[in-house]
Amino acid sequence: MKKGMLILIVLNLWLLTGCWDVRLLKDNSLVVGIGLDVEDDDKIMQTAVIRQIKQDSGGTGKPATSNVIYSAAGNTLRETRSYIQKQLGGKYASNKMQVLMLGEELAGEDILPIIDIFYRDPRNSLGAKLVVAEGTAKDLLNMKMSEDVFISEKIYKTLIETEEQTLIPGVTIQSVCPDLFDPGKDFALPYIKAKDSDNFDVAGMALFHDKSFTGTVLEGEDATVLLYLNGEHGESSTLSFNVNPEEEQFQNQFLTTNAFLKDQKLKVKVDKSHNVSVEINVKLNVTVVEYPKDHLFEHEKVLKLNKEISKQLTEKAEKVVEQLQKANCDYFGIGRELMAYHPETWKEIDWPDAFPTIDIKPKIEVEITGTGILK
Amino acid sequence: MNEKSISQKQLYFMVLQSQIGIGLLALPSNVFGHSKNDGWISVLLAGISIQILILLLWTLLNGFKGKSIFEISVIVFGKYVGKFINILYTVYFLIVMALLAFLFANLLKEWILGYTPFSILLLIILATTIYIGKSNLRVLARFYMLTAGVIIISIVLPWFAFTFNFEWAYLFPIGQSGVGNITMGAHDAIVAMLGFEIIAVVLPFVEGTYKQSLKNVSLANMTVTLMYVYFTIACYLIFSPAEIKIISEPVLYLLKAVSFPWVERLDLIFLSIWIIPMTTSLVTYFYLSSKGAAYTLHKGQRKYTIWYLPLFVFILGLFFSSEFELKQFSKYVAISGYIFSVFIPLLTLLVSIVRKKYNYRSSSV
């Protein structure tokens, strides 16, 4: 009898608690993308892309969805959220957010105070992609649709695609967090440009120093080279080289390859007077996917090509490193290495001042390992 | 003595499940406060210290075979002082139980049930505690052993978080924070590893010799220490130093950030698994306090104590309104932890040797 009573009480308690913490989907407006910008008077402008399910889908197949875009300005992010809430039919729910886009100007400031809220509230999605938009995020998101696909969805998918091609780093709100707080390592975010009124382009990597955007963007192959130098890689990447500049027909001058990262080593050396020098050695395996000149059955020819494209890539890498140092973006985390393995040197030098002047020697070795089904 | 006995294997799981619990979730950032990225050394040091405390307590119990700590204090200090010490012990166990329940409810409120009132969460937790804790020792031991499997799942889950930003450099240079700070960090870690005190009451009911028991208790402590070191290192590899300082529950946080196409919010899954070890430590202290109260006030009958002690905890819980008060409370509990697991056992041991009561054997054994 007594036991039965207890079980009954416990069961009833479980039923009771549900009333407080239920969040019904029908009451929520799912925010799938957020854009943040700075206003003229230093207020924050939030643009929220909200997915709504149309009521009149009539029970046939999938319910029709549409994206609605709201903007509001306020002193803090939470304030803009409540302003948007006022315009909405349901509760603002950002737990399914896929993309968080920062306007260029906003990214140029200290971004931590702005994105703090995403770390603090346990219901936020930390897996959302963090990107920087050329111009303002508001304008970019106001495209609404790009070729019949909703903008936030398309951005999300494009980002994943480009990550696979080793054109941008795979950055989420959470993965950026350790670097954001780390004085010995900087990071880079994908950079998105609007091409025309309903098209955009993932252009490359926006380099950050400490907690703000430096204004430098590495585009195309430069970004790929930087990722390989740091040991990051997607599934593969396309690199092309001008190996026969003397050829008459333009296309004949080029060799196009699929590249895969084989090995990456970063060595930090410190001498007695605390001079830091860094060597980065990268080995790439490539398969030739396009080479109209077709002479790859000769082994010597291949070796010669290996040497040529290694040289070209190393030169490119040197330029990338130069840009990196100019922007003062310690993307390789050399400062962290110093902290960990050379603490005396770290105490001795002022890292933001020292980084642009240190000696970084990148070296990329390429080996052609396949030629496709043609020789 | 109507309590049934438990086996050696069950003893191992009892100590294990009593030691691990809610403390783990915040451990890496708590320890970080003093010992920076050497936190894992602090945890290791804390494990060794706990081992010493276990040896101390065991030495005392070994001198009075078949007696629990409550009986020992009466034998050593006499009827009145002994009873007074037993009441102190009971209050201490009760306070720890209250702290664990508050932390548990607070955690649930913070991470999952934001709109549910604190008192309701506390009520549910205490109801569960009563439901499990009112059974006798053998039932408890079986429950602890049965649910130990979830610990393995909880060890595997963080592996999913290792897919990103894995930085060995965060651990170096080893020993950067100095011996003093590492020792201070060990103090922060010990609090999360208390729970071995359960042997003070259950050791007389374990089958086999006291030596075997010592081996199993030490083994349990070693398991807990290694597990805590593992979780601490995992957190230090993923969060950068400045970041971990501000994250209050890093173990949950590292799982929160992982998402897969088929599952998101691994932290919620982890939390719902971790509810079991959190409950078991709570039940342990409930058992200890109700046992103590029963011994001093009700001639060993736990019939009443299992009802009014949780009620007391519940009423106490209504007075806590902020996290900071809770933090202050847990500081006091930590200090009293030293008094009751170091000072009093040591005092009892010394007095018993001086009064030639050590190796006491009553006629009933």
Side-chain angles (χ1 to χ4, degrees):
Chain A
M1 185 58 204
K2 216 172 158 191
K3 214 175 244 177
M5 275 293 280
L6 195 68
I7 291 172
L8 208 69
I9 290 168
V10 172
L11 280 181
N12 274 326
L13 284 173
W14 284 115
L15 289 177
L16 267 175
T17 56
C19 304
W20 279 292
D21 276 291
V22 157
R23 289 179 188 83
L24 291 176
L25 192 58
K26 71 178 173 70
D27 299 334
N28 281 338
S29 295
L30 285 183
V31 179
V32 283
I34 291 178
L36 299 175
D37 290 300
V38 187
E39 286 284 88
D40 293 334
D41 48 357
D42 280 342
K43 284 191 171 180
I44 296 174
M45 165 69 81
Q46 179 179 183
T47 310
V49 184
I50 289 160
R51 179 172 302 161
Q52 283 183 339
I53 296 166
K54 280 183 185 150
Q55 295 294 341
D56 55 345
S57 50
T60 48
K62 278 187 180 172
T65 55
S66 68
N67 277 12
V68 193
I69 290 169
Y70 292 99
S71 296
N75 293 321
T76 64
L77 206 61
R78 196 49 102 164
E79 208 174 281
T80 63
R81 185 181 277 205
S82 63
Y83 289 144
I84 289 176
Q85 174 99 57
K86 280 188 218 162
Q87 311 168 41
L88 282 176
K91 273 211 177 67
Y92 179 107
S94 62
N95 34 359
K96 282 287 167 193
M97 181 173 73
Q98 290 178 315
V99 181
L100 175 63
M101 191 181 283
L102 306 173
E104 203 165 13
E105 205 187 329
L106 179 107
E109 299 172 9
D110 185 347
I111 63 167
L112 181 62
I114 294 147
I115 59 174
D116 174 76
I117 188 172
F118 297 102
Y119 299 114
R120 202 172 291 276
D121 187 339
R123 278 200 309 283
N124 270 317
S125 152
L126 288 176
K129 302 277 177 201
L130 194 59
V131 293
V132 176
E134 186 193 40
T136 63
K138 187 183 175 188
D139 290 345
L140 216 149
L141 287 176
N142 267 319
M143 259 179 214
K144 246 179 203 177
M145 289 247 241
S146 168
E147 291 160 357
D148 297 336
V149 183
F150 293 121
I151 181 80
S152 61
E153 229 161 298
K154 178 142 187 210
I155 292 174
Y156 184 72
K157 281 183 181 156
T158 316
L159 285 172
I160 288 178
E161 254 343 282
T162 26
E163 270 169 33
E164 279 175 7
Q165 293 167 26
T166 326
L167 285 165
I168 51 165
V171 180
T172 61
I173 295 182
Q174 176 53 35
S175 75
V176 111
C177 192
D179 302 340
L180 208 53
F181 284 102
D182 193 344
K185 194 173 190 311
D186 293 324
F187 58 96
L189 298 180
Y191 187 75
I192 293 188
K193 276 180 178 172
K195 268 163 77 184
D196 48 54
S197 63
D198 59 350
N199 258 314
F200 64 86
D201 178 25
V202 178
M205 289 162 69
L207 301 182
F208 276 66
H209 169 66
D210 200 12
K211 296 179 181 82
S212 32
F213 178 38
T214 57
T216 310
V217 178
L218 291 182
E219 295 193 18
E221 275 184 17
D222 287 352
T224 310
V225 168
L226 178 59
L227 289 170
Y228 280 143
L229 286 176
N230 197 37
E232 291 172 80
H233 59 94
E235 283 175 6
S236 76
S237 65
T238 309
L239 294 173
S240 58
F241 306 92
N242 187 341
V243 286
N244 297 308
E246 70 283 349
E247 280 294 322
E248 261 176 41
Q249 202 190 343
F250 187 67
Q251 270 69 31
N252 267 348
Q253 297 178 358
F254 287 93
L255 166 84
T256 309
T257 58
N258 267 347
F260 307 90
L261 182 72
K262 194 181 159 208
D263 191 29
Q264 180 263 3
K265 274 201 185 83
L266 187 140
K267 255 186 261 165
V268 179
K269 279 183 205 154
V270 178
D271 67 9
K272 282 205 181 102
S273 48
H274 301 301
N275 286 321
V276 182
S277 62
V278 180
E279 267 178 37
I280 307 173
N281 290 315
V282 173
K283 280 189 185 133
L284 292 181
N285 280 355
V286 302
T287 56
V288 177
V289 287
E290 244 182 275
Y291 187 54
K293 284 208 26 120
D294 288 335
H295 277 294
L296 292 175
F297 46 83
E298 292 167 48
H299 189 57
E300 274 167 35
K301 178 84 183 168
V302 173
L303 289 181
K304 218 172 140 196
L305 273 176
N306 277 348
K307 217 175 234 173
E308 175 65 24
I309 56 183
S310 298
K311 203 185 105 200
Q312 288 191 13
L313 261 189
T314 305
E315 274 165 17
K316 191 161 258 171
E318 278 161 5
K319 270 184 200 137
V320 167
V321 167
E322 205 175 290
Q323 271 180 290
L324 210 60
Q325 285 185 300
K326 211 179 259 174
N328 206 348
C329 169
D330 182 7
Y331 191 70
F332 305 121
I334 297 166
R336 175 46 62 185
E337 295 270 318
L338 287 178
M339 249 187 263
Y341 307 110
H342 308 278
E344 286 85 34
T345 308
W346 175 258
K347 264 177 225 149
E348 207 59 43
I349 56 177
D350 181 28
W351 190 234
D353 274 352
F355 177 73
T357 62
I358 65 166
D359 190 24
I360 303 178
K361 273 209 190 85
K363 193 179 166 199
I364 302 184
E365 268 178 69
V366 190
E367 199 188 333
I368 296 175
T369 53
T371 59
I373 50 174
L374 277 186
K375 281 269 179 186
Chain B
M1 222 178 275
N2 54 6
E3 198 83 68
K4 293 168 189 162
S5 58
I6 59 172
S7 73
Q8 287 288 336
K9 210 183 277 168
Q10 283 170 333
L11 175 71
Y12 169 83
F13 284 111
M14 279 208 102
V15 176
L16 182 75
Q17 289 265 40
S18 304
Q19 273 191 281
I20 59 173
I22 197 162
L24 168 72
L25 303 177
L27 178 73
S29 66
N30 282 350
V31 176
F32 190 89
H34 284 115
S35 40
K36 300 284 173 297
N37 283 45
D38 293 325
W40 59 277
I41 305 176
S42 297
V43 178
L44 213 56
L45 201 64
I48 296 167
S49 319
I50 296 273
Q51 186 58 40
I52 295 169
L53 299 187
I54 288 175
L55 277 173
L56 170 68
L57 203 54
W58 180 82
T59 316
L60 177 64
L61 290 163
N62 193 35
F64 299 84
K65 285 205 172 78
K67 299 279 173 218
S68 76
I69 191 93
F70 302 125
E71 293 159 297
I72 293 171
S73 50
V74 173
I75 293 167
V76 174
F77 293 104
K79 202 178 167 193
Y80 294 104
V81 182
K83 225 171 192 181
F84 178 66
I85 285 177
N86 283 347
I87 289 171
L88 284 185
Y89 260 114
T90 307
V91 170
Y92 164 66
F93 290 144
L94 188 69
I95 295 284
V96 177
M97 170 189 167
L99 177 69
L100 289 178
F102 300 160
L103 288 175
F104 193 172
N106 199 44
L107 184 81
L108 288 185
K109 192 168 167 58
E110 204 98 301
W111 280 82
I112 316 176
L113 305 166
Y115 297 138
T116 311
F118 184 76
S119 53
I120 296 293
L121 290 171
L122 200 58
L123 199 65
I124 299 168
I125 291 166
L126 289 174
T128 323
T129 312
I130 296 171
Y131 182 66
I132 303 170
K134 75 188 179 73
S135 347
N136 65 38
L137 189 60
R138 184 172 276 186
V139 176
L140 279 190
R142 282 181 184 159
F143 177 75
Y144 282 22
M145 200 168 152
L146 188 75
T147 51
V150 298
I151 294 167
I152 297 167
I153 304 175
S154 67
I155 289 176
V156 176
L157 268 180
W159 290 351
F160 293 114
F162 290 165
T163 48
F164 62 94
N165 276 12
F166 191 71
E167 184 71 86
W168 283 105
Y170 288 149
L171 289 185
F172 292 93
I174 291 171
Q176 55 184 323
S177 44
V179 180
N181 280 326
I182 292 178
T183 320
M184 290 291 281
H187 158 75
D188 298 323
I190 282 178
V191 183
M193 297 166 97
L194 289 179
F196 66 91
E197 297 104 305
I198 192 175
I199 61 170
V201 175
V202 304
L203 218 53
F205 304 108
V206 182
E207 287 165 359
T209 63
Y210 269 57
K211 269 207 178 119
Q212 284 174 332
S213 298
L214 178 65
K215 206 182 85 191
N216 276 309
V217 173
S218 310
L219 213 60
N221 179 47
M222 207 170 82
T223 317
V224 173
T225 308
L226 290 181
M227 202 172 132
Y228 277 24
V229 168
Y230 162 80
F231 274 106
T232 311
I233 290 183
C235 288
Y236 288 175
L237 290 180
I238 284 171
F239 300 115
S240 65
E243 193 186 1
I244 203 157
K245 224 187 296 178
I246 57 167
I247 297 178
S248 46
E249 279 98 20
V251 175
L252 283 176
Y253 211 91
L254 71 93
L255 289 166
K256 172 172 153 50
V258 199
S259 88
F260 297 98
W262 37 275
V263 62
E264 230 173 313
R265 295 295 305 272
L266 272 180
D267 55 318
L268 295 186
I269 297 175
F270 183 86
L271 204 54
S272 40
I273 292 172
W274 204 250
I275 274 177
I276 294 168
M278 289 195 288
T279 313
T280 51
S281 349
L282 187 56
V283 169
T284 295
Y285 280 100
F286 173 53
Y287 179 79
L288 292 177
S289 59
S290 64
K291 201 83 176 149
Y295 186 80
T296 40
L297 303 173
H298 305 286
K299 299 191 177 110
Q301 293 293 313
R302 283 173 68 218
K303 223 171 16 193
Y304 308 106
T305 58
I306 57 168
W307 295 107
Y308 67 74
L309 291 180
L311 187 71
F312 173 75
V313 170
F314 180 71
I315 292 167
L316 190 65
L318 299 180
F319 290 102
F320 282 91
S321 55
S322 80
E323 269 176 66
F324 300 101
E325 285 172 0
L326 207 56
K327 236 180 202 145
Q328 207 58 36
F329 183 49
S330 77
K331 247 182 210 158
Y332 294 136
V333 175
I335 294 164
S336 54
Y338 285 110
I339 298 175
F340 288 96
S341 50
V342 186
F343 179 67
I344 295 188
L346 199 63
L347 188 74
T348 318
L349 188 64
L350 291 178
V351 173
S352 74
I353 291 169
V354 169
R355 296 185 63 183
K356 300 204 166 64
K357 300 263 184 180
Y358 197 71
N359 277 332
Y360 179 89
R361 275 186 176 75
S362 75
S363 52
S364 67
V365 174

